[in-house]
């Protein structure tokens, strides 16, 4: 039933999974550009990525999430002190 609805939306020219925010790079591109960095490395560059959240580990003020886009996966770290509690 869901697959049929998906096909109808595609046939009607409707994106069934619209992106709410434009991305600046794919997960594969981010891995290629920054894969050489050590853990906890920080750059001044800001990027916007999209992907399905496939795993989350929440430690209160620190949260790790694994994003997946096609065959590429990327783990991101979200810190409450950098984002704010409502961020």
């Amino acid at each position: 039933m869901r697959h049929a609805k998906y096909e109808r939306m595609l046939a009607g020219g409707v994106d069934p999974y619209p992106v709410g925010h434009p991305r600046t790079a794919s997960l594969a591109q981010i891995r290629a550009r920054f894969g050489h960095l050590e853990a906890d490395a920080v750059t001044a560059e800001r990027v916007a990525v999209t992907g399905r959240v496939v795993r989350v580990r929440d430690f209160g003020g620190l949260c790790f999430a694994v994003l997946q886009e096609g065959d590429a996966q990327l783990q991101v770290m979200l810190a409450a002190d950098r984002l704010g509690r409502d961020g």
Side-chain angles (χ1 to χ4, degrees):
M1 189 180 231
R2 286 176 44 190
H3 188 67
K5 181 178 179 182
Y6 172 81
E7 293 297 330
R8 281 194 311 274
M9 291 176 79
L10 286 179
V14 175
D15 183 356
Y17 302 107
V19 176
H21 299 282
R23 71 177 185 175
T24 60
S26 70
L27 298 184
Q29 290 170 329
I30 296 299
R31 291 186 65 82
R33 286 173 52 202
F34 300 107
H36 67 283
L37 296 176
E38 296 291 324
D40 294 332
V42 177
T43 71
E45 190 165 346
R46 296 185 94 166
V47 297
V49 297
T50 60
R52 179 181 295 254
V53 177
V54 295
R55 199 169 325 135
V56 174
R57 293 182 318 218
D58 189 350
F59 298 100
L62 198 57
C63 181
F64 294 91
V66 176
L67 303 177
Q68 182 166 347
E69 179 184 36
D71 292 338
Q73 286 192 341
L74 183 72
Q75 178 175 278
V76 297
M77 181 185 78
L78 308 167
D81 63 340
R82 304 260 336 252
L83 297 173
R85 284 286 175 190
D86 295 330

